[in-house]
């Protein structure tokens, strides 16, 4: 069953197709018109002068052309040449009417754009089958073209909507970053005062506080203030990195020595959990980097390892020279990260744990800051983790960061 037999709207469009018959013999034109009209076609036009056809095709789009080859004033071959620029990229099928059956006529007709042949004298049923096949293809082509134009229009409209939404989102994101930056600046001053005065009280530099527990309270205030200041500094670093406000202060850095120092700094935090922290031995060498930012990256990665590794676990840090650069690798035997979280871990304000009650402090900016600072150095951050298999974080600096001093 052909498609038009189960699609009434397609059948109507086929019968309403515009058909132009071009033949210098008027009786042939009338015979073709009668056969087609009897079969239900409604828009049929005949023309005996081929010179008028280009103007007709410019004024009215036809769906099928029946063209005789041998005509006075202009042959069917010449007419097809003239119609090419008029039809352009549009698909308008041509059925060649000819009494000639030689190969040269067929070859030239096909080269000039003909789609099929009807040999004179023709048989009515053959004519109708060939005409219907070509008109149905033309109709389906027009339907596809209309649907494509409609799709392009909707895509264009949607693109405009999404562009506007993206612009609004970027403005909102920038406003959020500006707010976080201002808030961070404003919080640092009172926090520094809180930490400073808590230190003075805890050391009893200006006299006894009057009760032994007051000293412990002062130390707790100082520790809490420092923890909050770390969060504020992380937010400030992230907002600066997002707006491109961080400028690297580069120098020659002894990377293995820096890594060992960072591990020593995190040791007091690892001791209560009885974690084994180790640095794989490595010959000293230097890299060209911002030492403070490089230390910040390493400390963030080590802090995460200490934070999420369970008691009696292990954290191993190492520096590796690779073909594509220098890698600082931190491995732990913690719980690992599930695949559904792994793709989000570098998004700001995301933590690997998703328990109802959070067990670890932090706001989820450590790894996003590490990645941003690594990218400022021309490097990258890689994370390899799976549930029950621990986590490995690699800070990779490009080989051009290697200092010629070593």
């Amino acid at each position: 069953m052909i498609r038009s037999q189960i699609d009434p709207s397609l059948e109507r469009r086929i019968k309403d197709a515009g058909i132009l018959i071009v033949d210098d013999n008027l009786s042939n034109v009338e015979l073709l018109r009668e056969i087609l009209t009897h079969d239900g076609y409604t828009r049929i036009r005949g023309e005996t002068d081929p010179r008028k056809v280009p103007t007709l095709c410019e004024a009215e789009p036809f769906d099928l052309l029946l063209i005789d080859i041998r005509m006075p004033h202009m042959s069917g071959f010449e007419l097809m040449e003239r119609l090419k620029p008029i039809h352009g990229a549009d698909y308008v099928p041509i059925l060649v009417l000819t009494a000639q059956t030689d190969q040269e006529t067929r070859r030239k007709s096909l080269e000039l754009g003909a789609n099929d042949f009807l040999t004179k004298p023709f048989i009515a049923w053959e004519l109708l089958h060939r005409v219907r096949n070509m008109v149905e293809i033309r109709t389906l082509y027009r339907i596809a073209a209309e649907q494509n134009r409609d799709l392009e229009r909707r895509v264009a409209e949607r693109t405009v909507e999404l562009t506007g939404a993206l612009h609004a989102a970027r403005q909102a994101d920038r406003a959020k970053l500006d707010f976080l930056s201002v808030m961070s600046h404003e919080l640092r001053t009172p926090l520094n005062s809180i930490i400073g005065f808590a230190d003075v009280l805890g050391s009893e530099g200006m006299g006894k506080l009057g009760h032994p527990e007051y000293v412990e309270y002062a130390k707790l205030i100082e520790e809490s203030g420092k923890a909050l200041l770390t969060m504020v500094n992380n937010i400030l670093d992230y907002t600066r990195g997002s707006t491109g406000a961080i400028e690297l202060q580069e120098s020659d850095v002894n990377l293995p020595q820096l890594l060992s120092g960072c591990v020593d700094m995190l040791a007091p935090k690892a001791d209560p959990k009885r974690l084994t922290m180790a640095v794989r031995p490595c010959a000293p060498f230097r890299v060209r980097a911002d030492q403070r930012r490089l230390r910040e990256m390493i400390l963030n990665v080590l802090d995460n390892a200490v934070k999420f590794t369970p008691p009696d676990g292990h954290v191993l840090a190492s520096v590796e020279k690779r073909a594509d650069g220098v890698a600082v690798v931190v491995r732990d035997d913690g719980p690992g990260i599930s695949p559904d979280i792994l793709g989000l871990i570098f998004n700001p304000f995301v933590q690997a744990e998703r328990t109802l009650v959070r067990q670890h402090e932090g706001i989820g900016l450590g790894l996003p800051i590490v990645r941003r600072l690594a990218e400022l150095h021309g490097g990258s951050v890689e994370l390899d983790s799976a549930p029950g298999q621990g986590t490995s974080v690699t800070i990779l600096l490009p080989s051009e960061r290697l200092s010629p001093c070593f």
Side-chain angles (χ1 to χ4, degrees), residues 233-251:
N233 286 335
N234 283 341
I235 294 174
L236 189 58
D237 277 344
Y238 180 77
T239 57
R240 282 174 175 171
S242 300
T243 56
I246 294 179
E247 293 185 5
L248 299 180
Q249 305 296 322
E250 297 185 359
S251 61

Side-chain angles (χ1 to χ4, degrees), residues 42-57:
T42 58
R43 295 176 53 230
I44 305 169
R45 179 161 183 169
E47 181 55 62
T48 57
D49 187 349
R51 294 172 296 182
K52 297 180 181 179
V53 173
T55 303
L56 290 175
C57 290

Side-chain angles (χ1 to χ4, degrees), residues 184-227:
S184 301
H185 276 293
E186 293 300 319
L187 286 175
R188 290 178 74 184
T189 299
L191 276 174
N192 283 324
S193 298
I194 292 170
I195 294 168
F197 285 120
D199 180 54
V200 171
L201 292 173
S203 64
E204 297 183 306
M206 300 181 68
K208 296 292 182 180
L209 294 180
H211 196 287
E213 291 188 1
Y214 290 168
V215 175
E216 186 65 25
Y217 295 161
K219 290 181 179 179
L220 289 174
I221 293 171
E222 182 182 359
E223 290 174 2
S224 299
K226 286 180 178 179

